[in-house]
């Protein structure tokens, strides 16, 4: 999940207006909290940078391809 309650934001029930209002008030009243949430979110989104996503996808595809190649070699020996 992108938002972790109390770490980089607040998760509020959509039907609890008072809970939402209290979360907004905490952010308005606490500059350090806003800065901490901001820093946490900057770090959090780095994992979704295009280069990182492409690298992870490439690793997944290559591992699957190598796995398939090994399975094919095993099946060929069994014939």
């Amino acid at each position: 999940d992108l938002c972790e309650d109390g770490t980089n934001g607040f998760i509020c029930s959509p039907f609890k207006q008072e809970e939402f209002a209290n979360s907004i008030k905490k952010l308005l009243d606490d500059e350090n909290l806003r800065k901490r949430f901001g820093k946490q979110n900057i770090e959090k989104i780095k994992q979704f940078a295009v280069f990182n996503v492409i690298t992870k996808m490439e690793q997944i595809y290559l591992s699957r391809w190598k796995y398939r190649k090994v399975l094919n070699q095993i099946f060929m020996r069994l014939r």
Side-chain angles (χ1 to χ4, degrees):
D1 291 335
L2 289 177
C3 184
E4 298 175 26
D5 192 34
T7 301
N8 64 344
F10 295 116
I11 298 176
C12 303
S13 172
F15 302 106
K16 295 186 178 178
Q17 295 172 352
E18 188 174 333
E19 180 183 5
F20 179 71
N22 289 336
S23 297
I24 296 295
K25 185 169 179 356
K26 285 180 189 177
L27 288 170
L28 289 172
D29 292 344
D30 191 341
E31 181 179 359
N32 289 329
L33 180 64
R34 292 192 307 268
K35 287 180 179 179
R36 183 169 55 92
F37 280 3
K39 287 179 184 177
Q40 291 291 328
N41 284 313
I42 288 169
E43 290 302 313
K44 188 80 167 176
I45 64 169
K46 285 181 182 178
Q47 65 182 314
F48 298 103
V50 172
F51 178 77
N52 291 338
V53 172
I54 290 171
T55 301
K56 288 177 187 175
M57 289 178 65
E58 181 182 39
Q59 290 170 349
I60 291 168
Y61 286 128
L62 287 175
S63 68
R64 298 290 188 241
W65 182 76
K66 289 177 185 176
Y67 177 72
R68 184 177 178 148
K69 188 175 178 180
V70 169
L71 283 179
N72 284 340
Q73 290 173 353
I74 291 170
F75 288 129
M76 293 301 280
R77 290 182 188 165
L78 293 174
R79 288 184 176 188

